[in-house]
Amino acid sequence: MRIVSGKYKGKHIDVPHSFKARPTTDFAKEGLFNILSNNYVDFNDSPSALDLFGGTGSIGLEFLSRGCCKVVSVEKDFKHWQFLQRVSKMLGDPNWKPVHADVFKFITREKEPYDIIFADPPYALPNLAEIPDLIFSHELLSADGILILEHGRDYDFSAHPRYVSHRNYGSVNFTFFQ
């Protein structure tokens, strides 16, 4: 895994081969951050970010590297969370907090809103389509914030009242909500 931009640009982090996580491709990641930087987020303002279904930490680390003042990565799988903890200790960056929790329980308990929320659930997750409504009903997105949901091509959120846009990069789809 490679960090694309920011203070950790070019840093390679070896992800164990046994991981079940499907990291966002560099191509899709670069596209995502270009969209965010050009349309939705001024990383110079030190936004806060919530990375749901943290997996390998790839997206959370990009947020951290680009200047987010606080990045919380939520991961349910214990081995993945342990990996995130090791990487966090290796970097020694106090602005990144890996959390071992079920995302759906975390959403219902978290009280603090975030400027950016990124959710990359398993594409086959049965309740994937419920994630935007859960986030909005629990007021986890700040007033000018942006929610990005990564999903497979089988989902269309264009009728959602908070839908903003959709982009795809091969088999990777990002839907943006505000």
Side-chain angles (χ1 to χ4, degrees), residues 107-129:
I107 289 171
T108 62
R109 290 190 300 243
E110 181 67 10
K111 302 296 181 213
E112 183 178 334
Y114 293 84
D115 301 312
I116 308 164
I117 300 177
F118 180 82
D120 180 10
Y123 287 1
L125 187 71
N127 50 348
L128 183 148

Side-chain angles (χ1 to χ4, degrees), residues 20-34:
K20 299 175 278 185
R22 166 203 32 78
T24 304
T25 64
D26 280 357
F27 173 65
K29 191 165 44 171
E30 287 182 37
L32 169 65
F33 280 91
N34 283 337

Side-chain angles (χ1 to χ4, degrees), residues 41-47 66-68:
V41 179
D42 183 351
F43 285 100
N44 293 320
D45 289 345
S46 300
R66 290 164 192 259
C68 287

Side-chain angles (χ1 to χ4, degrees), residues 52 115-119 131-133 135-136 141 145-149 175-178:
L52 299 173
D115 301 312
I116 308 164
I117 300 177
F118 180 82
I131 293 171
D133 288 334
I135 288 169
F136 290 119
L141 193 63
I146 186 78
L147 163 63
I148 309 102
L149 177 61
T175 298
F176 298 81
F177 304 85
Q178 282 191 309

